[in-house]
Amino acid sequence: MTDWVAACAEGDIDEEDVMRFDHAGRTFAIYRSPDDEYFATDGLCTHEKVHLADGLVMDEIIECPKHNGRFNYKTGAARGAPVCVNLATYPVKVEGGQVYIGL
């Protein structure tokens, strides 16, 4: 059963941007796409554990701020060296102006 956790308010994240969300000792990254959809992944790069919320979002790609490794934040797929391990992704829903992540 999915445990839905409120991560932020709808609109807290600009389009084509990311924010950090910490919960239960874990870090997540919450994204808002150019199409006004929300997505969630693990918040740390799989290469050197840097916070992805400090990275650059371009279309559906998040670029790690440390070594410029890239992931597709919709699928978690690693898209550019030096990253080769995919990110975990999580379901997201928006209800009553809140963005929830499914854990």
Side-chain angles (χ1 to χ4, degrees):
M1 182 173 161
T2 302
D3 182 22
W4 293 99
V5 177
C8 62
E10 189 176 18
D12 280 353
I13 309 170
D14 291 333
E15 287 185 15
E16 209 168 7
D17 205 358
V18 59
M19 75 177 290
R20 178 177 168 176
F21 172 64
D22 295 323
H23 176 74
R26 297 174 61 192
T27 297
F28 303 91
I30 312 294
Y31 308 86
R32 184 175 172 190
S33 76
D35 300 327
D36 203 26
E37 295 179 278
Y38 291 85
F39 298 88
T41 69
D42 278 336
L44 299 176
C45 179
T46 58
H47 176 238
E48 292 218 3
K49 307 299 180 198
V50 173
H51 289 280
L52 291 172
D54 296 330
L56 178 65
V57 176
M58 301 165 288
D59 294 322
E60 56 191 41
I61 300 296
I62 177 72
E63 184 178 83
C64 177
K66 188 163 185 177
H67 293 117
N68 306 102
R70 294 178 179 191
F71 301 91
N72 180 315
Y73 63 77
K74 293 182 177 180
T75 66
R79 291 293 190 195
V83 297
C84 55
V85 177
N86 297 341
L87 289 171
T89 60
Y90 302 91
V92 173
K93 68 178 182 180
V94 179
E95 285 184 358
Q98 287 287 312
V99 178
Y100 294 87
I101 178 173
L103 301 175

